[in-house]
């Protein structure tokens, strides 16, 4: 949404012809006649641009963080189907939402940002089949394989049920979209990718979680990372935990799922995080294994791995294990991990230098 405002009056007013009102002519005089008071021309002030409602501003800020998270995650998901093992799936490669995708208190704010009861594309996975055929953010979903796309409060779930049987045994899906007042038909090639949901956690705690099928990165962690390369390290680390089935091996799956379900709300209950919410810290051996796999994922996605050890060391120094609900409290084996990270980085750099396939 763009806000426009009046450009106002120019800062310099030129003297004009006698046909202008006397008041304007008086303002152009260099000297006032004796005994008269100077006359000034009232210059209208620029109209104030109304501030967006608090809920709209909050939702817009969160959407901005989500966009960055999805943009950084896209190459990790698309380029690592080989490494994701049993978690690779055929995907359409885009996300879509309605105004009902948010809690009731934010429905009006979502409407003001252009969402309605019709599913609208809110993100397109870079490198996916959807991106290659030109699907765009803002496109409205009309039909899938000539079946009308559901609308209303339950549209997301019903559309997922519609799509489920269609992605097996096909190379592409026929999708009709509405754009610029007309309908277009796109045959979207399916993309083999890691089928992990990437979620934004609405908390300033510097944390990330994996529950076996999803990855959650907190807004606090996103703000802590200084570059997309650093954010990619965090996302890939949780993808690696999922790939290696660490949440289930830790018997953390149900707990992590509850934490993620809570933190993705627009108004999460952060008090529930006290005492790490029952999440068990990862043993250093599991953590180091996830570090190694994640670095290969990062490199295959085109991100830099050179400064990985420095990033994890900085994070551990900023948020040591004594900080409850911080990253290091769940991943305490930093010193042990750094050795594994440095070895993996050396191996990856050697493969890159010789043009060898980058895989463990």
């Amino acid at each position: 949404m763009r806000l426009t405002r009046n450009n106002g009056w120019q800062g310099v007013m030129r003297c004009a012809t006698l046909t202008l009102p006397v008041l304007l002519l008086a303002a152009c005089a260099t000297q006032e006649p004796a005994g008269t008071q100077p006359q000034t021309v009232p210059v209208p002030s620029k109209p104030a641009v109304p501030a967006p409602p608090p809920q709209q501003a909050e939702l817009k800020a969160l959407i901005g963080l989500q966009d960055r998270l999805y943009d950084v995650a896209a190459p990790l998901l698309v380029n690592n189907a080989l490494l994701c093992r049993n978690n690779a799936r055929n995907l359409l490669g885009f996300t879509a939402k309605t105004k009902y995708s948010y809690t009731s208190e934010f429905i009006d704010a979502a409407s003001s940002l252009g969402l309605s009861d019709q599913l609208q594309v809110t993100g397109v996975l870079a490198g996916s089949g959807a991106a290659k055929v030109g699907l765009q953010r803002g496109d409205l979903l009309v039909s899938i394989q000539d079946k009308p796309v559901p609308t209303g409060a339950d549209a997301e779930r019903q559309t997922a049920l519609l799509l489920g049987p269609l992605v097996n045994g096909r190379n592409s899906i026929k999708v009709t979209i509405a754009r610029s007042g007309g309908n277009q038909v796109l045959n979207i090639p399916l993309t083999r990718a890691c089928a992990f949901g990437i979620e934004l956690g609405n908390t300033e705690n510097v944390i990330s979680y994996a529950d076996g099928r999803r990855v959650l990165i907190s807004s606090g962690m996103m703000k802590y990372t200084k570059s997309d390369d650093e954010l990619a390290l965090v996302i890939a680390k949780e993808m690696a935990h999922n790939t290696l089935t660490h949440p289930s091996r830790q018997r953390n799956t149900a707990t992590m799922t509850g934490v993620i379900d809570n933190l993705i709300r627009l108004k999460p209950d952060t008090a529930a995080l006290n005492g790490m919410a029952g999440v068990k810290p990862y043993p250093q051996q599991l953590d180091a294994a996830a570090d190694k796999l994640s670095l290969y994922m990062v490199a295959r996605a085109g991100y830099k791995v050179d400064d990985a050890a420095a990033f994890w060391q900085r994070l551990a120094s900023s948020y040591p294990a004594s900080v409850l609900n911080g990253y290091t409290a769940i991943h305490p084996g930093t010193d042990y991990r750094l050795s594994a990270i440095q070895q993996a980085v050396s191996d990856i750099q050697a493969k890159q230098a010789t043009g060898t396939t980058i895989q463990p």
Side-chain angles (χ1 to χ4, degrees):
M1 180 180 67
R2 295 182 178 176
L3 297 178
T4 59
R5 63 179 182 182
N6 195 315
N7 289 328
W9 289 34
Q10 299 295 325
V12 178
M13 194 180 301
R14 300 180 183 273
C15 295
T17 64
L18 293 176
T19 58
L20 290 178
V22 175
L23 185 61
L24 292 180
L25 291 175
C28 295
T30 57
Q31 185 177 358
E32 293 294 324
T36 64
Q37 295 295 323
Q39 298 186 52
T40 59
V41 178
V43 179
S45 60
K46 294 180 180 180
V49 178
Q55 288 175 336
Q56 185 191 97
E58 184 179 356
L59 182 58
K60 197 171 183 179
L62 285 174
I63 290 173
L65 287 174
Q66 286 176 334
D67 288 346
R68 183 191 170 213
L69 182 60
Y70 294 157
D71 287 345
V72 175
L76 293 167
L77 297 171
V78 171
N79 292 291
N80 286 301
L82 177 67
L83 300 188
C84 283
R85 301 182 183 179
N86 296 326
N87 296 286
R89 301 284 188 276
N90 288 332
L91 305 177
L92 274 168
F94 66 88
T95 57
K97 295 184 182 295
T98 71
K99 64 181 180 181
Y100 300 108
S101 299
Y102 303 95
T103 53
S104 58
E105 62 188 306
F106 284 90
I107 288 177
D108 289 342
S111 296
S112 69
L113 295 177
L115 292 172
S116 65
D117 64 350
Q118 189 172 3
L119 276 170
Q120 181 180 133
V121 175
T122 53
V124 180
L125 202 65
S128 68
K132 291 174 182 176
V133 298
L135 188 71
Q136 298 177 9
R137 181 171 182 161
D139 289 341
L140 298 174
L141 301 185
V142 177
S143 68
I144 296 173
Q145 290 294 131
D146 296 322
K147 295 181 180 180
V149 171
T151 60
D154 201 30
E156 279 190 80
R157 187 186 68 84
Q158 291 181 23
T159 303
L161 293 175
L162 171 64
L163 278 170
L166 297 177
V167 296
N168 295 319
R170 295 175 183 270
N171 295 320
S172 64
I173 297 290
K174 179 183 177 183
V175 178
T176 302
I177 59 155
R179 181 193 299 171
S180 302
N183 287 355
Q184 298 183 33
V185 176
L186 300 176
N187 286 303
I188 300 179
L190 296 176
T191 302
R192 194 71 176 173
C194 301
F196 298 129
I198 307 296
E199 304 279 7
L200 173 67
N202 192 16
T203 174
E204 293 303 305
N205 296 78
V206 180
I207 53 172
S208 60
Y209 293 111
D211 70 352
R213 59 188 180 88
R214 292 180 296 178
V215 166
L216 179 137
I217 310 296
S218 72
S219 57
M221 177 65 85
M222 290 192 65
K223 294 170 186 176
Y224 179 81
T225 58
K226 296 180 179 180
S227 66
D228 288 352
D229 294 307
E230 291 187 351
L231 180 56
L233 288 171
V234 181
I235 299 171
K237 177 66 180 294
E238 301 304 335
M239 288 175 55
H241 277 310
N242 280 342
T243 298
L244 297 171
T245 66
H246 288 171
S248 60
R249 290 173 65 181
Q250 282 283 92
R251 297 186 177 178
N252 267 347
T253 303
T255 301
M256 293 288 198
T257 296
V259 171
I260 292 175
D261 286 343
N262 172 42
L263 292 181
I264 61 177
R265 298 171 183 164
L266 287 169
K267 295 292 185 181
D269 177 12
T270 54
L273 291 177
N274 292 337
M276 291 170 51
V279 177
K280 299 176 182 177
Y282 279 105
Q284 59 186 14
Q285 293 87 352
L286 294 188
D287 239 354
D291 281 317
K292 178 181 178 179
L293 178 58
S294 71
L295 288 167
Y296 277 89
M297 290 177 168
V298 168
R300 288 168 62 89
Y303 295 108
K304 296 179 181 178
V305 298
D306 309 49
D307 299 323
F311 167 72
W312 292 118
Q313 180 66 75
R314 189 183 87 232
L315 179 59
S317 298
S318 302
Y319 297 92
S322 58
V323 177
L324 288 178
N325 306 316
Y327 185 89
T328 313
I330 305 172
H331 307 267
T334 303
D335 292 339
Y336 183 90
R337 292 173 52 212
L338 288 177
S339 176
I341 289 169
Q342 290 164 345
Q343 182 61 57
V345 169
S346 296
D347 292 345
I348 290 168
Q349 289 173 334
K351 292 177 187 293
Q352 290 173 328
T354 58
T356 306
T357 302
I358 301 173
Q359 62 184 67

